[in-house]
Amino acid sequence: MAIPKGKYAWTVKVGEKGQFVIPKEARDIFNIKPGDTLIVLADEKRGIAIPPQDMFAQLSKTIFSKDMTPENDRIEEKE
């Protein structure tokens, strides 16, 4: 099976403390440096995602710009 351009897959092992190492190739592609802060998103049905750093500001703006009053406490998922 041919892998589409720009798509990647790696395997990692989770240690006893729940930690894993992001593969060097992935760190290079996504410009992840020691000391960087990453955001981990999770959905019980869809899994875990670690979006690129440049999306952090965009995600924060989207999350915090929503009207989060009790009647509007859900952020609608876009398909």
Side-chain angles (χ1 to χ4, degrees):
M1 175 172 80
I3 298 174
K5 183 177 173 132
K7 305 289 184 178
Y8 305 91
W10 297 278
T11 61
V12 297
K13 288 188 179 185
V14 178
E16 290 183 26
K17 294 182 180 181
Q19 300 169 325
F20 65 89
V21 174
I22 299 171
K24 181 176 182 347
E25 184 181 14
R27 294 191 314 265
D28 291 345
I29 290 168
F30 295 103
N31 195 31
I32 298 170
K33 305 286 187 225
D36 284 351
T37 299
L38 302 177
I39 185 170
V40 177
L41 305 175
D43 180 293
E44 289 182 359
K45 293 180 183 176
R46 297 173 71 183
I48 295 173
I50 305 172
Q53 283 182 292
D54 58 356
M55 288 184 67
F56 186 80
Q58 178 185 346
L59 288 167
S60 297
K61 183 177 179 183
T62 300
I63 291 167
F64 294 117
S65 68
K66 299 289 181 186
D67 178 7
M68 298 301 284
T69 56
E71 60 274 4
N72 295 318
D73 63 353
R74 286 189 49 208
I75 296 174
E76 295 299 320
E77 181 177 299
K78 295 181 182 178
E79 294 291 329

